Amino acid sequence: MTTAPSDRPAGNIDPKLLEILVCPLTKGPLEYDASKQELVSRSAKLAYPIRDGIPIMLPEEARALD
């Protein structure tokens, strides 16, 4: 099985994926921070990392926001 090349530049997250992902703690929306490669939950004050294009949606892996 082969996969088609993506239309997105490397390091970008699929906009469709961003639409369905929510914060695992608050179930609230996430914002994509391309410069830091994170998904930010303002309500939980956490930033979830994106590693190799995969969002790591574990609270213990998230960075606390100030």
Side-chain angles (χ1 to χ4, degrees):
M1 177 180 200
T2 60
T3 57
S6 175
D7 293 336
R8 297 181 319 275
N12 281 356
I13 192 164
D14 186 338
K16 290 180 185 177
L17 180 60
L18 186 54
E19 287 177 21
I20 60 172
L21 284 176
V22 296
C23 175
L25 295 176
T26 66
K27 309 301 185 238
L30 297 167
E31 297 173 19
Y32 176 50
D33 185 337
S35 64
K36 294 182 181 175
Q37 286 295 292
E38 295 176 327
L39 293 175
V40 177
S41 171
R42 301 255 178 237
S43 56
K45 297 184 180 173
L46 293 173
Y48 297 94
I50 299 172
R51 297 185 188 130
D52 298 322
I54 301 170
I56 310 300
M57 303 305 296
L58 300 170
E60 58 270 16
E61 294 285 325
R63 176 178 67 82
L65 299 175
D66 295 332

